[in-house]
Amino acid sequence: MREIQANDIAKAVARLCTRACTVLTEDVKGRIKSARQAQPWPTAQDILDVIIENFETNGPIPLCQDTGMACVFLELGQEVHITVGNLYEAVHQGVAQGYTEGLLRKSVVGDPLERVNTGDNTPAMIYTDIVPGDRLTITVAPKGFGSENMSRVAMLKPADGVDGVKQFVIETVENAGPNACPPLTVGVGIGGTFDKAALLAKKALLREMGVHHSNLLYAKLETELLDTINCLGIGPQGLGGKTTALWLSIETMATHIAGLPCAVNINCHSNRHATEVL
């Protein structure tokens, strides 16, 4: 049994909040630069140049004014014992600290109808998986709602099959149009239940760009959907061009014989996330 103090978790979450909001991962930077090189449309070229200038700016400056709702993914080793505090309370404490000390915009309201800002961007959205081992892996993925609002879930029929999935994904991106700040990253979840499909789609956004699904069927579907999306002509910021999406990832799981849940979680070009292992 390995002990991890709750205070160390809070400090790690605080660091991750600031890092995720200010520094893009290298795979995302690479995809944006590759899209710029392959883009023939002058207006789209100019927009991608501005995006590149934005993430290459020196200093801890937020990549976007919407520093998002803190989505925190925990992979908790079953050999880990949390001491001197509570795991989830430590996560919330870390988010409050990170968003306050990092001078990040606080965007969370405590009640969906009363709409009073909590003042420290808590509570976090926490997703926990119990895994083998004696480590705690923490990933913070700030989710802005310009893109989150464009996301959808559908309870398709098994008879809809792969064509139904394709149609739903493409329609979701078309309906999003310029509202989610393209070029997009598109996460697709297929299977499970109503809620699990949405979680799969959100987790799909965390996969490294350029890495396909391990199942060839879904790897081919990822490529086909991405190519189709980039033929829509929406382009960077919705002003036309061949780069509507940077990447599309699919995650899947078992489901019921009578269902085909499918969710699409859209993210803007600033696909932000950061990870630490304790």
Side-chain angles (χ1 to χ4, degrees):
M1 186 66 67
R2 179 168 171 267
E3 293 187 349
I4 299 177
Q5 291 192 7
N7 188 49
D8 290 331
I9 296 170
K11 291 178 181 177
V13 170
R15 290 192 298 268
L16 290 169
C17 287
T18 302
R19 189 190 315 160
C21 285
T22 58
V23 181
L24 276 185
T25 54
E26 292 302 318
D27 59 315
V28 179
K29 292 180 183 178
R31 293 295 296 188
I32 295 172
K33 290 179 177 179
S34 295
R36 169 60 180 86
Q37 294 301 316
Q39 180 59 247
W41 180 246
T43 302
Q45 290 176 353
D46 292 343
I47 293 169
L48 291 170
D49 283 338
V50 171
I51 290 173
I52 292 169
E53 180 183 3
N54 182 60
F55 68 64
E56 288 185 340
T57 300
N58 293 325
I61 300 172
L63 293 156
C64 177
Q65 53 82 23
D66 184 354
T67 50
M69 199 167 195
C71 298
V72 182
F73 296 84
L74 305 174
E75 292 184 3
L76 178 63
Q78 60 187 8
E79 308 278 333
V80 172
H81 178 217
I82 309 299
T83 63
V84 199
N86 175 277
L87 173 60
Y88 286 0
E89 288 178 0
V91 171
H92 296 312
Q93 178 185 338
V95 170
Q97 179 182 340
Y99 274 77
T100 300
E101 295 179 357
L103 303 179
L104 306 175
R105 196 184 83 181
K106 288 80 172 177
S107 304
V108 176
V109 295
D111 182 272
L113 295 182
E114 293 179 340
R115 314 300 294 180
V116 178
N117 198 299
T118 62
D120 59 8
N121 224 57
T122 64
M125 300 293 103
I126 304 175
Y127 314 91
T128 307
D129 289 321
I130 306 299
V131 299
D134 63 354
R135 293 290 184 268
L136 171 61
T137 300
I138 308 171
T139 298
V140 173
K143 195 65 171 69
F145 266 57
S147 59
E148 189 78 349
N149 284 339
M150 297 296 104
S151 303
R152 296 170 65 201
V153 62
M155 301 305 290
L156 303 177
K157 303 178 183 67
D160 292 329
V162 66
D163 288 337
V165 170
K166 291 177 185 177
Q167 181 179 350
F168 175 65
V169 173
I170 299 304
E171 284 181 353
T172 300
V173 174
E174 283 186 305
N175 290 338
N179 295 319
C181 293
L184 310 171
T185 306
V186 183
V188 180
I190 307 172
T193 52
F194 177 84
D195 56 316
K196 283 290 188 179
L199 180 55
L200 287 171
K202 190 168 291 292
K203 284 186 173 181
L205 295 173
L206 302 179
R207 193 197 309 161
E208 181 180 346
M209 290 187 180
V211 177
H212 280 290
H213 196 286
S214 58
N215 184 318
L216 185 59
L217 168 68
Y218 294 107
K220 289 182 177 179
L221 184 56
E222 288 172 338
T223 299
E224 181 180 348
L225 284 169
L226 182 61
D227 289 345
T228 302
I229 287 169
N230 282 329
C231 289
L232 294 175
I234 297 170
Q237 297 302 301
L239 296 176
K242 61 184 291 185
T243 312
T244 297
L246 298 169
W247 193 252
L248 182 146
S249 297
I250 298 172
E251 294 293 338
T252 65
M253 69 182 304
T255 192
H256 191 276
I257 57 172
L260 179 58
C262 184
V264 180
N265 196 201
I266 290 180
N267 207 76
C268 67
H269 60 272
S270 190
N271 187 10
R272 302 166 292 180
H273 50 86
T275 301
E276 279 194 27
V277 180
L278 299 183

